[in-house]
Structures are given as C-alpha cells and as structure tokens.
Amino acid sequence: STIPQLQSHIYQLSYAIEAQTLILHGLMTQRSEARRKLNRFLDPMARLPLELQSHIFLAVDLDVDPPKPHPDAPPMVFLSVCGLWRDIALATPKLWDRLSIDYPSRRPHYSELGKLWLSRARSHPLLLSLHGALSLDGSAQDLVATYSNQLEHLSLRALSPYSLESPCTNFHVNPALRLPLLKTLSFDADREANFGNMREWLRFLAAASELSSLTLCNASFNDFRDYNEPGSFYLASLDTLHLGRPCTWTLTNKHGCNANVLRHLTLPALKVLSVSHFNLHYQDFLAFPTRSSPRLESLHI
C-alpha cells in the first residue's frame, strides 16, 4: 500500500466511525425517550392531573423556617430527580414563594440566586428572610427592592462583621421604596443598628398600608432627640408592635429602639404591645393610648 492509499483508507474509517457514532447517539436518544414514556405509564405520579401533582409536592414538610437554596433540600432537590419532577416543581409557584438567605460579605452571587428562586414564584406574595452582613452587601437591599411589590413578610437580621469595639451597623431604608402587600416586618441586629433619619423611616412604614406586625430590635436613629412631632405617623393596620428585645436588653445607648418611638406613632388597631426598655415619661406614654384609642389585649413592659 502506498501512503496516499493508507491516508484514504484512514479517512474512510474515520468517516464510518463518525457516521456510526451519530447512529449510536440517535439510538441512545430514542432509548431514553422510550424509557421516559414507559416511566410515565408506570409512574402513578405521572398519571395524575398537574394540580394534584403540585398539591402532593406542597405537602412535603418544608420546616417552619423558610427554605435555604441548598441543592439537597426541597424544593431544590425536586429539580434533580427526573424530568417529570422538575417540570412539576417549576410549574408550582407556591414552592418558591419563601426563601431564607445568609449573606456572608463575599458571596455576591446570592442576589442572582435569590432572584432566580423568587422569579419561579411568579406573582405569588413572598416571604423573605435575610440575615448576615446586610449593611455591607448591597445585593440584599437590591433583592428587597426588586421584589418589593410582592413582599408580604420580610425579616431582616443584621450581623455585624466587626469586633465588639467597632461602630454599630448602618442600615438605612430607601424612602422611595413601596411595599404595598407587606403585612409583617421584623428587624433585629446582634448589636446596635443605625437606621439613619427617623422621619424617613417612619414615612416608609406609613406607606406600607397593610402592615399589621412590626418588630424592631436594637435600632437607633440620628435625629431621635431632634425629631419632635408626637403622633404624626398613622399606621391604620398595625395590631402588633414589639420594641427592643422581648426578654433582655443589652444596649446602653440612650437612642436605642424603645418606648420613645411611641411618641411619634398613632396606632388605632393595636392589640399587642411589648416594650423591653421603658424610658418614656409617663405623660408621653399616656398620650399614646389617648390619641390612638387602641383595643389592647396584651401589654408587656
């Protein structure tokens, strides 16, 4: 055999191998499709209507707390079982309407992951729990802003990355942000958190017309002493208010979140009031129920 003949023979063999590979790939694809069809006949889940399939998925115990985006936990684990389960999970928005995210300061991809998760909830009202270095990670605030129109329950837990001798955590709300569906808001910090301007913050709360429960722990304001407009903010739906820590008070800052906040609020629907650090003059305190006329059922000071 000559060199050209050998080269031609190698080319023919390579062509035949490539052709057979394509045929083999096609056969494997057909076999996979046939298996999927067979599984749909054998799997009782596949014979159920989509609404019932989704109802079964929703019956899975997702714990009391919102789920975290872990691949081995529901609903994420549903996506990797099989194509049918993945389709069911993605077609069930209520599986994705709750989310909890820890925010280490060096995980910027968490914002995109959170947006992808919540986008699967479509138009459902959302429960969102964010904790970590919130003041350092703008992606947490970006996530809240992106889904502000759908948020029904929002919990923020700010953890300071600094030492005990360092300044307090800064957490300022965007006064232009609107939360039309928000019913419960909880903010807590491991140490004192500076909320900035009290007037802007209270105006932000007053704009949440559906807000029924507010918990505010370890918060201070720059203009706490300077701002003096008693009862100027009217929260018509708020029926539960917790100020400070319900059981213990660890701060020494006089501007901490305490009974003084009541001076600026009018709460006609209030039923439950808990104040962990009472430093309000009794005349100012008595002025609060006088102007609000709430039907208190529980008072803890």
Side-chain angles (χ1 to χ4, degrees):
S1 299
T2 63
I3 291 177
Q5 291 175 331
L6 289 173
Q7 289 177 335
S8 175
H9 185 56
I10 290 173
Y11 173 78
Q12 293 174 358
L13 291 174
S14 299
Y15 179 80
I17 290 172
E18 183 177 352
Q20 294 300 322
T21 300
L22 292 175
I23 293 174
L24 179 61
H25 178 73
L27 291 173
M28 293 177 66
T29 300
Q30 293 179 35
R31 183 182 65 178
S32 297
E33 182 63 27
R35 282 177 173 173
R36 280 195 293 270
K37 290 180 179 180
L38 178 61
N39 288 338
R40 288 183 179 271
F41 283 111
L42 297 178
D43 184 2
M45 188 82 165
R47 298 197 294 270
L48 298 174
L50 177 60
E51 294 79 7
L52 191 52
Q53 294 172 348
S54 297
H55 186 73
I56 292 173
F57 273 37
L58 291 171
V60 174
D61 184 9
L62 298 179
D63 297 327
V64 177
D65 296 326
K68 296 182 179 181
H70 193 281
D72 296 330
M76 291 288 288
V77 70
F78 297 150
L79 302 181
S80 58
V81 174
C82 65
L84 174 63
W85 282 41
R86 178 183 177 85
D87 292 343
I88 296 172
L90 294 178
T92 309
K94 192 163 179 56
L95 282 173
W96 309 95
D97 64 3
R98 299 186 301 157
L99 178 63
S100 175
I101 295 184
D102 295 309
Y103 272 96
S105 58
R106 297 182 181 180
R107 298 276 183 91
H109 68 283
Y110 268 23
S111 180
E112 296 306 315
L113 179 61
K115 289 180 180 179
L116 175 62
W117 179 296
L118 296 178
S119 69
R120 294 168 177 166
R122 300 176 190 172
S123 60
H124 274 235
L126 303 175
L127 186 157
L128 187 59
S129 177
L130 307 177
H131 28 94
L134 302 182
S135 60
L136 296 182
D137 198 328
S139 58
Q141 298 175 11
D142 178 57
L143 187 63
V144 172
T146 300
Y147 290 94
S148 60
N149 289 329
Q150 290 179 246
L151 286 175
E152 189 173 53
H153 307 281
L154 177 60
S155 176
L156 304 172
R157 167 72 171 161
L159 304 179
S160 174
Y162 305 116
S163 64
L164 291 176
E165 293 78 18
S166 65
C168 64
T169 299
N170 292 310
F171 191 90
H172 295 180
V173 299
N174 180 356
L177 193 65
R178 292 295 177 263
L179 302 165
L181 300 183
L182 190 67
K183 292 183 178 179
T184 65
L185 173 62
S186 174
F187 183 90
D188 196 2
D190 58 342
R191 293 201 300 280
E192 181 188 0
N194 189 319
F195 270 63
N197 185 282
M198 172 180 275
R199 186 174 313 193
E200 287 186 352
W201 198 84
L202 291 177
R203 187 180 296 117
F204 161 78
L205 284 181
S209 58
E210 299 298 317
L211 187 65
S212 63
S213 177
L214 173 63
T215 299
L216 199 59
C217 295
N218 288 358
S220 66
F221 303 90
N222 293 339
D223 58 341
F224 198 94
R225 291 180 175 176
D226 299 333
Y227 182 55
N228 188 23
E229 297 181 18
S232 55
F233 290 94
Y234 187 92
L235 279 65
S237 301
L238 195 72
D239 60 35
T240 302
L241 176 62
H242 297 282
L243 299 175
R245 295 193 179 280
C247 299
T248 61
W249 183 260
T250 57
L251 299 181
T252 58
N253 191 319
K254 295 180 181 179
H255 298 282
C257 172
N258 48 45
N260 271 302
V261 174
L262 294 174
R263 297 182 66 249
H264 311 291
L265 296 174
T266 299
L267 310 175
L270 193 66
K271 295 181 180 179
V272 178
L273 175 61
S274 174
V275 184
S276 68
H277 189 66
F278 191 84
N279 67 340
L280 181 64
H281 193 277
Y282 78 93
Q283 291 181 339
D284 289 325
F285 177 70
L286 291 178
F288 165 71
T290 299
R291 67 173 174 271
S292 297
S293 298
R295 296 184 178 181
L296 280 178
E297 298 174 0
S298 174
L299 175 63
H300 177 248
I301 296 180

